[in-house]
Amino acid sequence: MPKLKTKSGAKKRFKVTATGKVMHAQRGKRHGMIKRTKKQIRQLRGIRVLFKTDGDNVKKYFLPNA
C-alpha cells in the first residue's frame, strides 16, 4: 500500500491539538471586509474547535498523518 498523503488545502486550514481536537479559522474573513460591519469583523477573530464528528472526518480523510 502506498503512503497516504495529507491534502495540502487541509494542511493550511486545520490544526490538530495535542488532545486530538481539530482547530479552524472562522470563515468570512479572507476578503470583502469593507462590506462587513465592525461587529462582524470583531466577532470573527480567533480560531474555533470543530465538532467532534466533523473533526474525525477531517482527520480521517484529509489529515491522515495527524
Side-chain angles (χ1 to χ4, degrees):
M1 259 331 259
K3 289 184 179 180
L4 290 172
K5 288 189 176 182
T6 296
K7 300 286 184 201
S8 61
K11 188 177 0 180
K12 299 164 193 169
R13 288 171 175 78
F14 302 110
K15 177 182 178 244
V16 181
T17 63
T19 56
K21 295 175 185 171
V22 179
M23 307 294 287
H24 69 103
Q26 299 198 74
R27 57 140 188 86
K29 265 206 91 179
R30 292 288 180 191
H31 55 81
M33 290 297 103
I34 205 158
K35 299 176 194 169
R36 317 225 191 286
T37 63
K38 298 290 181 194
K39 182 181 177 182
Q40 277 178 313
I41 294 171
R42 198 166 55 243
Q43 289 177 340
L44 287 172
R45 279 186 201 146
I47 53 176
R48 299 286 157 98
V49 179
L50 278 178
F51 287 114
K52 185 179 182 325
T53 50
D54 294 333
D56 291 345
N57 284 336
V58 166
K59 284 194 286 187
K60 182 177 179 183
Y61 296 114
F62 302 122
L63 302 170
N65 302 317

